Amino acid sequence: MILLRCPLPLLLLLLLPLHSRPQKLPTRDEELFQMQIRDKAFFHDSSVIPDGAEISSYLFRDTPKRYFFVVEEDNTPLAVTVTPCDAPLEWKLSVQELPEEASGEGSGDPEPLEQQKQQITNEEGTELFSYKGNDVEYFVSSSSPSGLYQLDLLSTEKDTHFKVYATTTPESDQPYPELPYDPRIDVTSLGRTTVTLAWKPSPTASLLRQPIQYCIVINKEHNFKSLCAVEAKLSSDDAFMMAPKPGLDFSPFDFAHFGFPADNNSGKERGFLKPSKFGRQTSPKPRVDLHRVCIGNKNIFTVSDLKPDTQYYFDMFAVNTNTNMSTAYVGTFARTKEEAKQKTVELKDGKVTDVFIKRKGTKFLRFAPVSSHQKVTFSIHSCLDAVQIQVRRDGKLLLSQSVEGVRQFQLRGKAKAKYLVRLKGSKRGASMLKILATTRPNKQSFPSLPEDTRIKAFDKLRTCSSVTVAWLGTQERNKFCIYKREVDDNYNEEQKRREQNQCLGPDTRKKSEKVLCKYFHSQNIQKAVTTETIRGLQPGKSYLLDVYVIGHGGHSVKYQSKLVKTRKFC
């Protein structure tokens, strides 16, 4: 097979005799071959297939493409591999005899160039192999005739990338990793969020000692038949295969500046992948939930962080790190196990229920009113961090929100309806909350709160033995109790945050810490402010102040704690 860098007319000129005496085409010069394929521009937009190197190119939909190569001697081994990427291909390999070197009744004068060119291109040739589909397909022959070989490719579905590899020395090249006798991926362990996979090693690694690494691809749609197909799905600059090594491979993205439209928004991320104005315009593809990881030469791996009760597809590719060429194992799929069914807590009408949720955990509660109702009210008091709440009525989602502090939701009722409440805890730590469900609209167990639950301290009114503070109230008459506790001077905000459990009421405090309790409200919400001076403090000491508001049902909510310090000298 010869290596040329020319369009078809010049290729044919070189293939045809230039003298009347017999002239033999050169065999592959390995030194020249390595030198030339290091320059990737050598094969860009060329009709010539190089001997022993994988090329990547593109097809526009319904636009056929033809490649040529020459086998110069009879009984030559030949292997051709075509790899479709993101669309099925139709391809055909055929051969036709090279023209006689002389004509004109033995005059020794060569035929005119146009006549000889016509002699080759007008002949159909003998079809050796054809295929239609998206599998990686091979043509292999241990003894091929000499001649001009044609590879015709067509994509009828869409514009697509593809790869072609051809060689006249298949026994010695072996650029693709060999599969074991059993190329299947085994699922050895299955959990709710994990799947463990195992596979037999490639003989290329175990016997030939060539550098092989295994790459796993996980997605929810389907199995992939080639790494090229995976690359076509990737929508970011995180290209899956390693950077091309000079003289050994060609990146599928090298041809983008010839007008092939870049997938999705990858052109924005690669400066050199901007589609030419002559290329076809395509709408951007949606991002694909596809994950991949290369794990070296291990042949067992546990995929984690999966979703419960979800089907996943797993593909394994053996990649020769010398040639950057890959072979696909037989992919598999598996469905993760369901979440362990949790016990559902029954909510009673008008009764407060305490709920504890582990970090990132979930709890389910059920409310089934015994009487007909027009409305149902859910009151939530999140004691620590925010929690997520979802409420479904007979399977229909009515509410989905994040709740911090005290919130109340009133939903439309329905006769004989059943309500399922799903609570999801915080990522930062365990969650505690109180919840009340009722069909009686006037039944409010938790006190109403202002939007701002901070306590304000007046620095100018601070003395050696007293501090003055203020806080907001509401239009509803409630009971407020204020407590103080002396703390060390090194008491900080982190310690204060850990003590912000709003569900701990005054009953958990020492009697000596109580300052006073009083009732307060204002019909004018703008004037719903109260102040209080706390006396009997020690000079230069720090105190933590807490205000509790107590509702009619006896449940209390704590305002945000306030750290104050008396003056040392007065």
Side-chain angles (χ1 to χ4, degrees):
M1 190 185 293
I2 65 169
L3 177 69
L4 297 173
R5 182 197 183 277
C6 47
L8 180 58
L10 184 53
L11 166 64
L12 296 175
L13 175 62
L14 294 174
L15 294 180
L16 295 174
L18 300 178
H19 305 284
S20 58
R21 59 185 175 81
Q23 177 175 314
K24 194 173 184 180
L25 293 171
T27 57
R28 182 169 99 182
D29 184 327
E30 189 66 29
E31 184 177 350
L32 176 65
F33 169 71
Q34 292 296 334
M35 178 191 72
Q36 288 175 322
I37 67 174
R38 273 194 285 270
D39 179 12
K40 293 189 179 184
F42 188 88
F43 296 107
H44 278 181
D45 215 22
S46 170
S47 300
V48 181
I49 298 178
D51 188 353
E54 184 180 65
I55 66 168
S56 299
S57 190
Y58 62 91
L59 282 172
F60 289 125
R61 181 170 58 89
D62 295 330
T63 304
K65 202 162 194 176
R66 175 173 289 179
Y67 288 88
F68 296 89
F69 60 89
V70 170
V71 173
E72 58 197 49
E73 296 178 356
D74 288 330
N75 303 316
T76 300
L78 177 64
V80 178
T81 303
V82 177
T83 304
C85 291
D86 53 347
L89 295 181
E90 298 179 22
W91 63 273
K92 177 181 69 173
L93 182 67
S94 57
V95 63
Q96 53 183 288
E97 292 182 4
L98 293 173
E100 295 294 333
E101 290 189 313
S103 61
E105 298 180 354
S107 65
D109 296 326
E111 295 178 352
L113 175 60
E114 289 303 317
Q115 183 178 343
Q116 297 182 38
K117 175 181 172 184
Q118 200 75 15
Q119 182 179 347
I120 293 181
T121 56
N122 282 351
E123 294 180 9
E124 284 296 323
T126 304
E127 182 177 313
L128 300 176
F129 184 81
S130 64
Y131 174 75
K132 181 178 180 180
N134 59 357
D135 283 324
V136 179
E137 195 55 71
Y138 314 87
F139 169 80
V140 180
S141 173
S142 59
S143 179
S144 297
S146 62
L148 179 67
Y149 284 72
Q150 294 177 189
L151 178 63
D152 296 286
L153 302 105
L154 177 67
S155 172
T156 59
E157 285 194 9
K158 60 180 180 178
D159 300 348
T160 182
H161 285 97
F162 65 93
K163 294 187 178 187
V164 176
Y165 173 79
T167 180
T168 54
T169 54
E171 290 298 323
S172 59
D173 285 2
Q174 295 187 344
Y176 295 99
E178 185 181 348
L179 290 177
Y181 68 92
D182 182 3
R184 294 174 298 179
I185 305 171
D186 295 321
V187 178
T188 60
S189 177
L190 194 63
R192 290 190 295 273
T193 60
T194 60
V195 173
T196 300
L197 307 171
W199 57 94
K200 294 177 175 59
S202 166
T204 305
S206 58
L207 299 179
L208 302 180
R209 303 298 180 185
Q210 291 191 25
I212 297 295
Q213 75 165 340
Y214 300 101
C215 298
I216 300 173
V217 174
I218 308 108
N219 78 105
K220 299 177 185 177
E221 293 185 1
H222 55 75
N223 288 110
F224 290 93
K225 297 183 178 181
S226 69
L227 205 49
C228 179
V230 175
E231 288 173 343
K233 281 287 186 181
L234 296 178
S235 57
S236 68
D237 193 44
D238 187 13
F240 182 65
M241 293 187 71
M242 295 167 289
K245 297 184 179 180
L248 292 176
D249 62 21
F250 296 87
S251 167
F253 303 113
D254 285 351
F255 292 85
H257 62 273
F258 280 86
F260 190 70
D263 284 344
N264 215 344
N265 62 348
S266 57
K268 298 178 183 177
E269 300 175 4
R270 299 184 183 87
F272 59 89
L273 286 187
K274 295 178 181 178
S276 163
K277 63 183 179 180
F278 301 108
R280 297 185 183 182
Q281 299 300 314
T282 57
S283 57
K285 299 178 183 178
R287 293 185 65 87
V288 177
D289 187 10
L290 183 151
H291 303 277
R292 70 268 183 258
V293 58
C294 293
I295 60 170
N297 58 6
K298 297 187 295 184
N299 63 332
I300 186 169
F301 184 74
T302 297
V303 184
S304 57
D305 295 326
L306 303 177
K307 293 183 179 180
D309 194 25
T310 303
Q311 182 158 302
Y312 290 91
Y313 294 85
F314 303 95
D315 291 289
M316 175 63 58
F317 299 94
V319 181
N320 187 325
T321 57
N322 278 344
T323 65
N324 209 14
M325 295 162 76
S326 60
T327 306
Y329 278 66
V330 178
T332 188
F333 61 89
R335 178 174 287 273
T336 50
K337 291 183 178 180
E338 293 182 5
E339 287 262 28
K341 291 188 176 180
Q342 298 186 13
K343 182 180 178 182
T344 302
V345 178
E346 294 287 341
L347 295 176
K348 294 183 178 179
D349 197 332
K351 184 177 180 182
V352 175
T353 301
D354 294 310
V355 181
F356 175 81
I357 309 173
K358 294 180 181 178
R359 176 178 174 268
K360 297 169 65 174
T362 304
K363 280 287 178 71
F364 290 93
L365 303 94
R366 181 174 175 270
F367 181 51
V370 293
S371 58
S372 60
H373 56 285
Q374 293 183 337
K375 293 181 179 179
V376 60
T377 302
F378 289 92
S379 299
I380 313 290
H381 181 191
S382 178
C383 307
L384 300 170
D385 295 320
V387 295
Q388 295 288 331
I389 179 173
Q390 282 187 352
V391 179
R392 294 179 183 271
R393 184 188 64 204
D394 298 332
K396 182 181 179 180
L397 183 64
L398 301 180
L399 172 69
S400 181
Q401 282 199 27
S402 176
V403 174
E404 193 168 8
V406 176
R407 290 289 301 276
Q408 183 172 287
F409 304 98
Q410 196 168 74
L411 307 175
R412 182 176 296 177
K414 189 178 180 181
K416 299 182 180 179
K418 294 180 176 58
Y419 300 85
L420 182 66
V421 180
R422 180 181 183 268
L423 299 169
K424 186 171 179 60
S426 168
K427 295 180 180 179
R428 294 196 294 179
S431 300
M432 296 173 59
L433 59 95
K434 295 177 181 288
I435 184 170
L436 177 141
T438 181
T439 56
R440 291 168 283 177
N442 296 326
K443 179 73 173 179
Q444 293 187 16
S445 183
F446 301 127
S448 59
L449 290 174
E451 290 186 5
D452 190 347
T453 59
R454 292 176 298 176
I455 303 171
K456 178 177 175 57
F458 298 95
D459 186 65
K460 291 183 178 180
L461 299 179
R462 193 164 51 102
T463 70
C464 291
S465 60
S466 68
V467 293
T468 301
V469 295
W471 65 90
L472 299 177
T474 65
Q475 294 173 313
E476 179 184 333
R477 188 172 186 269
N478 284 316
K479 181 180 179 181
F480 293 87
C481 294
I482 186 166
Y483 284 73
K484 63 175 174 58
R485 176 164 64 91
E486 185 178 335
V487 295
D488 295 333
D489 288 339
N490 58 1
Y491 188 87
N492 54 38
E493 290 296 319
E494 176 61 26
Q495 290 173 285
K496 188 173 76 171
R497 191 190 69 81
R498 289 200 299 264
E499 296 179 4
Q500 286 301 308
N501 186 344
Q502 291 187 338
C503 295
L504 295 178
D507 55 324
T508 63
R509 305 296 296 262
K510 296 178 181 178
K511 289 184 178 181
S512 60
E513 296 176 349
K514 184 177 179 180
V515 177
L516 59 87
C517 290
K518 67 177 184 179
Y519 287 90
F520 165 72
H521 79 289
S522 175
Q523 294 300 323
N524 185 349
I525 193 64
Q526 303 296 329
K527 297 182 179 181
V529 182
T530 185
T531 61
E532 196 64 46
T533 299
I534 303 163
R535 308 179 190 279
L537 307 180
Q538 298 296 317
K541 296 294 183 180
S542 297
Y543 293 88
L544 192 69
L545 303 181
D546 289 307
V547 170
Y548 297 87
V549 54
I550 303 170
H552 300 300
H555 293 281
S556 64
V557 179
K558 187 174 75 167
Y559 278 45
Q560 297 179 42
S561 300
K562 181 65 177 179
L563 186 64
V564 297
K565 188 174 183 179
T566 56
R567 296 188 186 277
K568 194 170 184 178
F569 302 103
C570 295

